[in-house]
Amino acid sequence: GAVVSQHPSWVICKSGTSVKIECRSLDFQATTMFWYRQFPKQSLMLMATSNEGSKATYEQGVEKDKFLINHASLTLSTLTVTSAHPEDSSFYICSAREYPRNSPLHFGNGTRLTVT
Amino acid sequence: DQQVKQNSPSLSVQEGRISILNCDYTNSMFDYFLWYKKYPAEGPTFLISISSIKDKNEDGRFTVFLNKSAKHLSLHIVPSQPGDSAVYFCAASEGNSGNTPLVFGKGTRLSVIA
């Protein structure tokens, strides 16, 4: 089945620094990838839709200058949390769907970000 | 405003019995529904889906039922096994094309007791 790989699985950084999270589709091409965030005991909230070769689409309330998304190829999307603050500490998960087939979204294993 | 609701945060079931997880939605444009299983510190794993043209889909021990008029779906697991213990998320979308995101409920934590 489709595999989505996310790296790193966890990261601890100091307040004010930037962190890059990578999301790769390993055995399929994905023109679109989705970035979700999950706070403890909460649902997975869509942050943005990453589109290969064009700008990402951000959900309301998500700062595009803080959460930079780059989707440079059909198998890689990156999320960079810039000038991280403790309130950015969360579980970030990417997902992708095989293209052009219609199939369920497949998720990476997530990245636990802790900002100290 | 939550478009997908899972009103039971937790459920405990004995091994071998049936587990029934419920989900309600408010957006009448949703026509594709999925259930995901999630372990701590891992991404969700797809379990089973159903489109609005059906009212039931079965895959092994897992069956999803959809009641469009009530905007309600449920996941039945029978027989339940201890390995089924996890958080189950209900998700919905408008269509299932490549650029369609999913809207998730808050999840239900299932504990299957041996």
Side-chain angles (χ1 to χ4, degrees):
Chain A
V3 177
V4 176
S5 174
Q6 192 171 336
H7 178 81
S9 55
W10 62 271
V11 58
I12 301 172
C13 71
K14 290 187 177 179
S15 191
T17 61
S18 295
V19 173
K20 180 187 280 189
I21 303 170
E22 291 188 351
C23 180
R24 294 180 186 273
S25 55
L26 294 187
D27 53 358
F28 65 99
Q29 294 182 330
T31 57
T32 304
M33 292 185 177
F34 303 98
W35 287 95
Y36 287 83
R37 178 169 57 186
Q38 185 188 25
F39 292 108
K41 297 186 181 179
Q42 296 296 314
S43 181
L44 287 84
M45 300 301 296
L46 180 66
M47 296 176 66
T49 302
S50 171
N51 304 299
E52 187 266 335
S54 64
K55 290 183 180 179
T57 306
Y58 290 82
E59 295 300 299
Q60 193 172 12
V62 179
E63 299 175 56
K64 64 179 186 330
D65 294 330
K66 179 166 187 63
F67 299 99
L68 298 179
I69 290 173
N70 184 281
H71 194 150
S73 77
L74 284 171
T75 59
L76 173 64
S77 174
T78 60
L79 168 68
T80 301
V81 183
T82 63
S83 187
H85 290 286
E87 56 264 32
D88 298 324
S89 298
S90 188
F91 191 57
Y92 294 86
I93 315 174
C94 71
S95 64
R97 184 185 277 117
E98 290 187 62
Y99 177 87
R101 288 180 49 196
N102 290 336
S103 68
L105 271 183
H106 295 280
F107 286 82
N109 269 340
T111 298
R112 169 72 60 194
L113 170 63
T114 303
V115 184
T116 61
Chain B
D1 177 36
Q2 215 169 352
Q3 299 184 71
V4 178
K5 299 178 185 178
Q6 292 177 258
N7 292 321
S8 298
S10 63
L11 174 68
S12 244
V13 172
Q14 277 204 312
E15 181 179 8
R17 307 294 285 266
I18 185 171
S19 296
I20 300 177
L21 298 101
N22 293 303
C23 177
D24 298 290
Y25 61 96
T26 58
N27 187 343
S28 57
M29 299 300 290
F30 287 150
D31 58 4
Y32 186 62
F33 306 89
L34 308 89
W35 284 93
Y36 283 83
K37 177 180 179 180
K38 186 179 181 300
Y39 294 113
E42 291 185 11
T45 303
F46 169 72
L47 270 180
I48 192 168
S49 64
I50 189 167
S51 73
S52 59
I53 61 172
K54 291 185 172 183
D55 54 18
K56 176 183 174 182
N57 188 26
E58 191 172 350
D59 183 2
R61 297 186 297 116
F62 302 92
T63 303
V64 56
F65 294 92
L66 175 63
N67 183 334
K68 289 187 291 293
S69 59
K71 293 193 180 69
H72 175 85
L73 64 153
S74 60
L75 174 68
H76 292 210
I77 306 173
V78 57
S80 302
Q81 299 172 353
D84 295 329
S85 298
V87 177
Y88 288 78
F89 286 95
C90 171
S93 68
E94 297 179 33
N96 186 32
S97 66
N99 58 354
T100 307
L102 295 178
V103 179
F104 285 86
K106 285 191 175 182
T108 297
R109 180 176 300 280
L110 173 66
S111 299
V112 180
I113 304 160

